[in-house]
């Protein structure tokens, strides 16, 4: 059995994501470990600028005035994302497991990669204009901490982020 691949996602994985991971596994006997953060730790100003950059002005101001989400709601949403993602990847490699991680998303990924001895990490997110531009996205942060390449895929597409 080859070393596992650890996948960190903020979005429920779907058919396109499965295809990308299937290509990555390439028929190998690889175990997949999916991580979903309970809290994505988004920053109000970054989210505001990101929505403005995508010309979604209404959403930018709506999120600017919204209250902090309830932690139990965030955890339930993360559990649902994990469930959908595990179902999407079912049957790939030598098995798929996963968990909701508390604390920082990147620190959870780094810990799991080191714990499992994974040789590869994958981060799947929707595009984040500001974080991606300034290389402060999860994939870049994880790559800096791990010292190994971290593949950054955009959810629901074949596009690769710059990490």
């Amino acid at each position: 059995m080859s070393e596992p691949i650890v996948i960190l996602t903020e979005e429920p994985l779907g058919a396109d994501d499965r295809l990308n991971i299937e290509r990555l596994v390439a028929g190998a006997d690889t175990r997949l470990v999916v991580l979903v953060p309970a809290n994505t730790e988004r920053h109000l100003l970054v989210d505001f600028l990101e929505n403005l950059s995508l010309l979604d002005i209404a959403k930018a101001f709506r999120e600017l005035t919204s209250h902090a989400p309830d932690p139990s709601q965030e955890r339930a949403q993360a559990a649902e994302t994990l469930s959908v993602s595990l179902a999407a990847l079912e049957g790939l490699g030598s098995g798929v497991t996963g968990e909701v991680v508390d604390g920082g998303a990147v620190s959870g990924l780094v810990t799991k990669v080191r714990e499992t001895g994974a040789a590869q990490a994958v981060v799947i997110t929707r595009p984040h204009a500001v974080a991606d531009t300034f290389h402060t996205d999860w994939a870049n942060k994880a790559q800096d901490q791990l010292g190994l390449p971290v593949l950054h895929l955009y959810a629901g597409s074949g596009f690769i982020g710059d990490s």
Side-chain angles (χ1 to χ4, degrees):
M1 183 158 79
S2 62
E3 297 160 327
I5 296 174
V6 179
I7 302 166
L8 173 65
T9 184
E10 67 179 350
E11 295 288 315
L13 302 180
D16 290 330
D17 304 306
R18 178 190 172 86
L19 184 60
N20 290 331
I21 299 301
E22 193 170 15
R23 288 179 182 147
L24 187 61
V25 172
D29 191 24
T30 304
R31 185 170 56 100
L32 301 174
V33 180
V34 179
L35 304 177
V36 178
N39 177 339
T40 58
E41 300 176 333
R42 301 297 299 160
H43 299 285
L44 186 61
L45 179 60
V46 172
D47 286 347
F48 178 75
L49 293 173
E50 184 172 299
N51 288 320
L52 284 181
S53 74
L54 297 172
L55 301 176
D56 197 344
I57 296 165
K59 184 176 180 184
F61 284 100
R62 190 171 49 252
E63 288 187 2
L64 188 61
T65 60
S66 69
H67 299 289
D70 175 35
S72 62
Q73 259 184 338
E74 284 183 318
R75 189 154 185 71
Q77 197 169 18
E80 176 62 24
T81 296
L82 178 62
S83 176
V84 169
S85 299
L86 293 175
L89 299 178
E90 188 175 349
L92 290 182
S94 65
V96 183
T97 61
E99 62 188 76
V100 173
V101 293
D102 292 309
V106 173
S107 61
L109 174 66
V110 169
T111 299
K112 188 57 76 173
V113 166
R114 290 181 177 151
E115 178 184 298
T116 62
Q120 187 159 16
V122 178
V123 172
I124 302 175
T125 65
R126 61 188 172 277
H128 295 291
V130 175
D132 293 347
T133 300
F134 293 104
H135 303 288
T136 59
D137 57 273
W138 290 349
N140 276 286
K141 287 179 179 181
Q143 188 166 299
D144 289 345
Q145 291 181 36
L146 289 169
L148 61 96
V150 175
L151 180 61
H152 185 189
L153 299 173
Y154 291 134
S157 77
F159 293 112
I160 298 174
D162 179 28
S163 59

